[in-house]
Amino acid sequence: MIDRRVITDVELNRFVSGSHYVHYMKTAAWGAFKARTENSTYHCLGFFEDDILKATAMVIEHSFLGHRYLYVPKGPCLDYENDQLREDV
């Protein structure tokens, strides 16, 4: 069972930097950049299995023409070969 919760920038960056699926748009630095340049908000999410961090997602919250939307730049950071994890996340 995957448990989703908010994590710190440091936790997210540590996980992403150690992943085979690393990309700068998956880091908290990208979220902070979007916050400064586009007045967006970002959230760092961790997906845990038995209190072990298995995946992360840096979620950008933005609005356009009065409509709020969320997106995950370049998708979540996880082992895409793990079918169950990919489905749960």
Side-chain angles (χ1 to χ4, degrees), residues 22-85:
V22 65
H23 191 279
Y24 72 92
M25 286 184 168
K26 295 183 181 204
T27 66
W30 183 251
F33 173 76
K34 298 299 267 185
R36 281 192 311 273
T37 60
E38 296 182 5
N39 199 30
S40 299
T41 304
Y42 72 97
H43 311 277
C44 301
L45 296 180
F47 299 86
F48 293 83
E49 185 173 41
D50 298 326
D51 279 336
I52 298 170
L53 185 59
K54 296 288 191 173
T56 61
M58 200 274 305
V59 182
I60 302 282
E61 182 178 346
H62 196 70
S63 63
F64 182 72
L65 298 175
H67 298 281
R68 186 177 137 235
Y69 63 94
L70 305 170
Y71 69 100
V72 179
K74 296 295 184 183
C77 188
L78 57 90
D79 178 1
Y80 284 93
E81 294 179 19
N82 182 331
D83 294 335
Q84 187 60 54
L85 178 62

